[in-house]
Structures are given as C-alpha cells and as structure tokens.
C-alpha cells in the first residue's frame, strides 16, 4: 500500500497544534503495519532553521501553465519510518509563521496552499511515486482533490489512485474570493453551490468533502456532530449527503514520544508505580511560577490555543469560583488578545495563585502535563483533543466538557465502582465547569480514591496501533472499491 500523505504541519518539523502531532505519528505507525508512506509538506522557515539533512530531489521545476505558476524545488528527508518531501518555494513558505501573524492570516494563503497541493502532485510524478491512496488533511491540503478532478482527471499516473480527506477541525475552511480559482489553475465552473462556492466565496475545505473517495474526522462522536446544524459550520447538509463515506477514527498518542518515564523535557521522570517524580515536577512548576500550591490545593493545568473553541471564556467566568474552591490554575497558551488581557489582569489581582505564560513552549507544555493534578478542557467543540490524552498519561486527571473526542476518551469517575478516568460536564457554562471541578476536588482530597483515579488515567490506552490499523483498513477498502 503506497500512501501519499499531505499535511501543512508535521512534528518534529513544524507545529501549531494537534494536526502536527497526528501527521508526524500516524505515518510512522502505518509504516509499522507495512504501508509505504511519503509525507508532503511545505518547506517553512521553521524547517530550514532545523538544519536537517535534506536531499534535493527536484530543482528549478515549474508548475504547468494555467495558474499557480512559479518555480519550486523538492527536498527529501528520511524521517522516523517514512520519507518527507518538502515543497520549497521561498516566496511562499520562507516566512516568520506557518499561516499568519497575530495581525491576521497571510492574504495569499489560498495561493500558497494551492501551490503546495499542486506541487505535491507534480513531485509524485517527477519522483516516480504512484500512490494507491492520497491522504490529505484539513483545508490546506484539500485543493489536491479539486486538481485531481480537473487538470489531472485524465492523467494515467493517478488513474488507480483513491483519495481520503481527514477533517481535523471543520471551523477552519480556507475561504477566499472567487478570483482565486483562475489564479491557481482551477476552472471557474467549480464556482457553484454543488462545487466550491460557499456564500459567495471559494471554500477550499469543500473540495476535500466533495471530491475525496472517503472522508474521516478525528473521533466517532465528532463525525456525527458535524452532520448537525449546531456543529456543522454551514456544511452539515453537505456532510450528511456524504454520510455513507464519512468515518470517525479517534486520534492516538505516540507513547514513545509521550511517556513520563522517559520524557527528557520534564524536571523528573516517573511511572505509575512510583509517582515521586510527579511530586518533584509539581514542586518545580510551582517554583517556576512562584505559586503557593500546598498539597491540599490541586494545580489545574491548561495547555491550549487561546481561542473561543477552547472555552477560555467559560474559564474566565468561572475563575473566581475555581480559585474559591482552592484550585491553582496554570495556563500556557497563545491566541486571542482579549482572553490574554483578561488572564493577565486576573493574575495581577491574584498574586501567587495563578500561573500564566503566553507562549508556545514545548518544554513548559510537557512540564504542565507532568506537574498538574487536574487538567481543564472546557471546549465548546473538540474534534478529538490530544491534551486530555497526554494529561492522563502523565497522571493528571482531566475535567472536560462532554463533546467530540473529549466525550469519546474521558469516562466520568465513579467512586463506588472505582471506574473512570476523569470528570465531565455538559452545558458550556461556568456553573457546570465549577461543579465538575468540585467533584474532582472531592476525590483529590481522598488520597486512596485519588491514587486509584490517577492509576486509571495513566492506564488508559490511546496508542496509535488500533487507529492506524483502522486507517489502513479504510485505505484498503477504498483502494479496492
Ligand atoms: P488543537 O489542534 O485544536 O489546538 P489538540 O488538543 O488536538 O488541539 O492539540 C494541541 C497540541 O498543541 C498538543 O500537542 C498541545 O500540547 C500543543 N499545544 C497547544 N498549545 C501549546 C502551547 N502554548 N505550547 C506548547 N504546546 C502547545
């Protein structure tokens, strides 16, 4: 099974969120199951800075005429279990950030990622790679499927190729003005309601939903939710029309990378059998932030984009009550200015009681997973969510809103049976979040019960093995249809 994997961010090369974790781990596990995976991604400045051993495989090539012109190169790198092909076009990708700066998205993102899609198809041909399946992720890769339906429709190179599109977050759709189509070499005839048109604009994500052989989302519950008006972001009708080809496969965790017993970025290692290292991490984190966090006050960690999706407004409204309960919030995140300002001023008013860092910081993220007692994830919606899975592995009990992948991966703890690995609430309001935190606190203050709960969380198994097998089975199914 030959798979071409297109993603706009992949660990360890470039990351802004969960997509990178998935796109770096899944190919490795697919390779372990015998698939030959080639990953395609843009050569960002962030990748250049890493000084990787890069082998030029194509230089000075240009895309066929008819839009999306420009020369590019392709550089290959042998990753962990798979080869990465970087699309090199400095004018588009040698920039400070992947998608934009705090001032907003780059205005030419449509051209940038269309170029990435088309150059990836050309690179497959130029390097002799005939994929059985092209697996694209999120809107940045979705235009690949529009090219396969148009400019490459009669290209024998892709005659046997089937396609899979994965939606990691339906809210990010890649919306552009109509004239983009001409500039990237796609026919204007695609600009219709049953094509890429969406309320007067071009919607890149629609290309994936409409034209891929099959579509997946990153949890079973989210695959059902997005077919409803509440979660469908205006595309629920279209998604319902593809219900037969729509699947939900829960993301996994690469436990070789995420293991408190071996993680080199946390202050002290620990295992489920010996949690002394976790206590040392807690002390180190409290020291780093100058927090007063005695043993009877749980540290409540958050590692998150500061975005409306993540329910930070609910935390802001619940903050006084959470502090009143004795929780010590420690928040690491970047994003929305308003949320940043609120949290910064809350910290001013509560010295030593709130830890806050506005940054993207891998070391601190892992230290927070390791050092916290509970982990708050009050998302308004959550396609899968990885942070609850990382928190559990590091012995930190999640308190989550029951939505999407959070609902699929967290089970409410039941003190009578000793089953469950966290706490959940349903309404996206401050009161229910505080109530769930109160239940967590009650368990936290009973050492035997807490030990059991932490043990359950650490034993929860979200390894990629099962999900990668599900993807491989789906590849085989669509390839044989
Ligand atoms: P999303 O992709 O919607 O942001 P996920 O839970 O799927 O959410 O994945 C988030 C990933 O990004 C996790 O690996 C998390 O550790 C990481 N992350 C989020 N914010 C930060 C941050 N400020 N610093 C370091 N890592 C972060």
């Amino acid at each position: 099974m030959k798979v071409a994997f297109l993603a706009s961010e992949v660990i360890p090369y470039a990351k802004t969120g969960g997509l990178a974790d998935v796109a770096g781990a899944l190919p490795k596990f697919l390779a372990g199951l015998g698939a030959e995976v080639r990953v395609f991604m843009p050569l960002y400045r962030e990748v250049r800075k890493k000084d990787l051993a890069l082998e030029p495989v194509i230089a000075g090539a240009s895309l066929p005429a008819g839009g999306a012109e420009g020369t590019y190169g392709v550089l290959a790198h042998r990753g962990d279990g798979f080869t990465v092909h970087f699309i090199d076009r400095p004018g588009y990708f040698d920039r400070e950030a992947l998608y934009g700066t705090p001032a907003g998205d780059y205005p030419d993102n449509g051209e940038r990622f269309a170029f990435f899609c088309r150059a990836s198809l050309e690179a497959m041909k130029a390097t002799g790679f005939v994929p059985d399946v092209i697996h694209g992720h999120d809107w940045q890769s979705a235009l690949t499927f529009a090219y396969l339906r148009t400019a490459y429709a009669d290209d024998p190179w892709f005659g046997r190729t089937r396609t899979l599109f994965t939606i990691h977050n339906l809210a990010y759709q890649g919306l552009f003005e109509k004239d983009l189509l001409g500039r990237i070499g796609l026919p204007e005839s695609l600009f219709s309601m049953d094509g890429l048109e969406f309320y007067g604009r071009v919607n890149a994500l629609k290309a994936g939903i409409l034209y891929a052989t099959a579509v997946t989302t990153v949890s079973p519950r989210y695959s059902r939710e997005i077919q409803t008006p509440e979660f469908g972001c205006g595309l629920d009708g279209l998604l319902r029309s593809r219900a037969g080809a729509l699947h939900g496969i829960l993301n996994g965790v690469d436990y070789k990378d995420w293991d408190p017993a071996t993680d080199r970025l946390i202050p002290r290692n620990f295992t489920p059998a010996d949690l002394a290292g976790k206590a040392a991490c807690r002390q180190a984190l409290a020291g780093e932030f100058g927090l007063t966090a005695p043993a009877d006050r749980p540290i409540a960690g958050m590692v998150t984009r500061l975005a409306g999706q993540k329910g930070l407004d609910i935390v802001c409204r619940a903050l006084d009550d959470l502090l009143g309960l004795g929780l010590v919030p420690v928040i690491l995140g970047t994003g929305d200015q308003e949320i940043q300002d609120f949290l910064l001023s809350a910290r001013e008013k509560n010295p030593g009681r709130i830890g806050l860092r506005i940054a993207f910081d891998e070391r601190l993220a892992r230290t927070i997973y390791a050092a916290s007692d509970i982990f708050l994830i009050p998302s308004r919606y959550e396609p899968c969510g990885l942070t609850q899975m990382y928190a559990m592995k590091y012995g930190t009990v999640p308190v989550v809103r029951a939505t999407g992948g959070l609902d699929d991966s967290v089970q409410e703890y039941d003190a009578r049976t000793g089953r469950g690995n966290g706490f959940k609430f349903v309404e996206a309001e401050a009161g229910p979040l505080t109530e769930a935190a109160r239940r967590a606190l009650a368990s936290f203050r009973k050492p035997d019960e807490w030990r059991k709960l932490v043990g359950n969380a650490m034993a929860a198994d979200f390894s990629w093995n099962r999900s990668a097998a599900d993807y491989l089975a789906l590849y085989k199914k669509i390839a044989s249809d």
Side-chain angles (χ1 to χ4, degrees), residues 15 17-18 21 303 305 310 332-333 359-361 365 369 385-387 390:
K15 165 169 171 174
D21 290 4
V303 175
R305 288 185 288 118
K310 299 292 183 181
L332 168 66
F360 195 92
D361 182 335
Y369 292 124
L386 292 169
T387 62
Y390 298 149

Side-chain angles (χ1 to χ4, degrees), residues 217-274:
T217 66
V218 288
S219 70
R221 176 157 174 176
Y222 191 62
S223 75
R224 296 189 296 274
E225 287 172 342
I226 59 174
Q227 297 179 53
T228 66
E230 187 188 350
F231 292 95
C233 301
L235 292 170
D236 45 296
L238 176 63
L239 287 157
R240 281 196 302 278
S241 77
R242 295 232 58 200
L246 179 61
H247 308 262
I249 301 178
L250 196 68
N251 284 337
V253 174
D254 181 355
Y255 286 122
K256 247 173 78 188
D257 185 16
W258 294 93
D259 183 350
T262 52
D263 194 326
R264 284 200 223 123
L265 294 177
I266 61 176
R268 273 263 305 275
N269 293 118
F270 56 93
T271 63
D274 180 2

Side-chain angles (χ1 to χ4, degrees), residues 350-384:
N350 296 281
R353 300 188 59 200
I354 298 177
L356 177 65
R357 178 91 34 98
I358 306 295
F360 195 92
D361 182 335
E362 184 71 20
R363 178 204 62 82
L364 185 56
R366 287 170 184 258
T367 301
I368 293 174
Y369 292 124
S372 302
D373 301 296
I374 65 181
F375 204 82
L376 300 180
I377 316 180
S379 303
R380 291 186 175 278
Y381 70 92
E382 194 58 78
C384 175

Side-chain angles (χ1 to χ4, degrees), residues 30 33-34 49 105 112 132 135 143 155 157 160 168 214 223 240 245 303 321 353-354 380 383 386 435 441 443 473:
L30 288 167
L33 295 172
K49 280 200 276 190
D105 288 346
R112 295 173 76 221
D132 296 302
H135 185 176
L143 292 171
D155 191 328
W157 195 271
R160 284 191 315 106
H168 295 257
S223 75
R240 281 196 302 278
V303 175
D321 289 337
R353 300 188 59 200
I354 298 177
R380 291 186 175 278
L386 292 169
E435 205 34 58
L441 184 68
S443 289

